[in-house]
């Protein structure tokens, strides 16, 4: 048995963040522009707070300016909309992140639709997703974009492969399927109503798990030689670390390449957010 290639998202993200840092330095030296990312953080979801804090640290390390606009979980939609309008109009802000999920009383698609698409570095506003469907330039959702980037950096071919995406959320499964299609994969999307899931996953050359259920993809659901990308991030109470949607040990016996959890897909998200923010600043400075 040949062990699979471990797709190291931590190391790859570090390389990308260093590349972004060097490009930020050059841009600032040439034009005086400091790429800046603003985050709207509404509510008290601990995972969102952790993510925004990680983003702030990554920005600081890359020389990217970072501003966070916190709102309480009882803030009104109008207050958040007003902040968004202010950030849209501020030329010193190049990228805006509206942290998901917003409090339940807010209409998330409506708020995201108010964002200037040129600043949607998180790539999840309806207009950005629509442009992706239409094959027009847009910022791509950071986690799916990171999964594609990881495969490319390891030289794994995508074109002509059968990619099976399990999960169809707006932030992950759907944009990932569209990006794989853009890379000329043949794409199947599965979801909670898919009967005989294993029959379909066994056909995958590239299996992308985007569900949020610990270890639900098992060895018997995979074809030998498959490339496995596991976006799942699941808390398991009796373990001291989080696990993915794929049973890593079992899958490693058949896969040719696989992402670990943690340290696979996860770190790529912030790296892609940094990359998109740089791009937004470069575009604005051009
Ligand atoms: P989500 O919105 O809950 O979507 C989950 C998807 O999985 C849905 O489309 C659902 O189908 C599908 N699903 C549920 N049970 C299934 C089953 N038994 N068989 C097949 N499909 C099933 O979740 P999400 O936001 O996309 O996140 C998914 C996972 O990715 C989570 O673990 C999350 O933490 C992780 N994640 C990681 C990152 C990162 O690493 N940076 C970023 C985003 C998300 P239906 O549509 O039919 O309900």
């Amino acid at each position: 048995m040949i062990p699979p290639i471990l797709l190291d998202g931590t190391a790859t993200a570090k390389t990308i963040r260093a590349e972004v840092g060097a490009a930020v330095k050059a841009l600032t030296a040439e034009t005086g522009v400091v790429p800046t990312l603003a985050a709207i953080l509404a509510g008290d979801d601990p995972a969102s707070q952790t993510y925004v804090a990680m983003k702030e640290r990554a920005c600081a390390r890359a020389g990217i300016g970072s501003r966070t606009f916190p709102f309480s979980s009882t803030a009104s939609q109008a207050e958040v909309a007003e902040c968004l309008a202010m950030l849209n109009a501020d030329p010193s802000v190049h990228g805006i992140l509206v942290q998901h999920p917003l409090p339940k009383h807010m209409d998330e698609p409506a708020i995201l639709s108010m964002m200037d698409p040129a600043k949607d570095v998180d790539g999840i506003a309806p207009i950005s997703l629509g442009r992706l469907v239409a094959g027009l330039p847009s910022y791509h959702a950071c986690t799916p974009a990171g999964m594609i980037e990881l495969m490319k950096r390891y030289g794994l071919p995508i074109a002509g492969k059968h990619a099976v995406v399990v999960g169809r959320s707006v932030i992950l499964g759907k944009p990932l399927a569209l990006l794989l299609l853009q890379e000329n994969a043949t794409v199947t999307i599965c979801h909670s109503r898919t009967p005989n899931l294993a029959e379909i996953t066994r056909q995958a050359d590239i299996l992308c798990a985007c569900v949020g259920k610990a270890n639900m993809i098992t060895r018997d659901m995979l074809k030998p030689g498959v490339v496995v990308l596991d976006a799942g991030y699941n808390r398991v109470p009796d373990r001291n670390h989080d696990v993915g949607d794929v049973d890593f040990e079992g899958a490693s016996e058949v896969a040719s390449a696989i992402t670990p959890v943690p340290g696979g897909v996860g770190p790529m998200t912030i790296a892609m957010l940094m990359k998109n923010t740089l791009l937004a600043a470069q575009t604005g400075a051009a």
Side-chain angles (χ1 to χ4, degrees), residues 20-32:
V20 169
V24 166
K25 209 171 173 184
L27 179 73
T28 305
E30 253 173 56
T31 64

Side-chain angles (χ1 to χ4, degrees), residues 143 166-169 171-172 191-192 197 210-213 216 231-234 266 269:
T143 304
V166 188
R168 57 173 168 179
S169 73
I171 61 159
L172 183 54
H191 46 80
S192 67
L197 180 65
C210 308
V211 177
K213 288 202 170 140
M216 70 162 282
Y233 212 76
N234 309 293
T269 302

Side-chain angles (χ1 to χ4, degrees), residues 149-224:
E149 183 77 15
L150 192 56
M151 279 192 279
K152 287 188 175 174
R153 297 246 172 180
Y154 275 86
L156 298 170
I158 303 173
K161 300 294 179 189
H162 183 187
V164 174
V165 179
V166 188
R168 57 173 168 179
S169 73
V170 169
I171 61 159
L172 183 54
K174 275 185 200 162
L176 176 61
L178 290 163
L179 290 174
L180 288 161
L181 195 60
Q182 204 170 70
E183 296 295 331
N184 298 311
T186 301
V187 183
T188 303
I189 307 174
C190 302
H191 46 80
S192 67
R193 309 282 191 90
T194 301
N196 305 322
L197 180 65
E199 265 176 39
I200 300 169
T201 57
R202 271 196 288 269
Q203 296 170 33
D205 302 311
I206 300 169
L207 187 283
C208 302
C210 308
V211 177
K213 288 202 170 140
N215 298 324
M216 70 162 282
I217 307 280
T218 47
R219 176 197 159 136
D220 59 303
M221 296 170 76
L222 299 169
K223 177 166 89 173

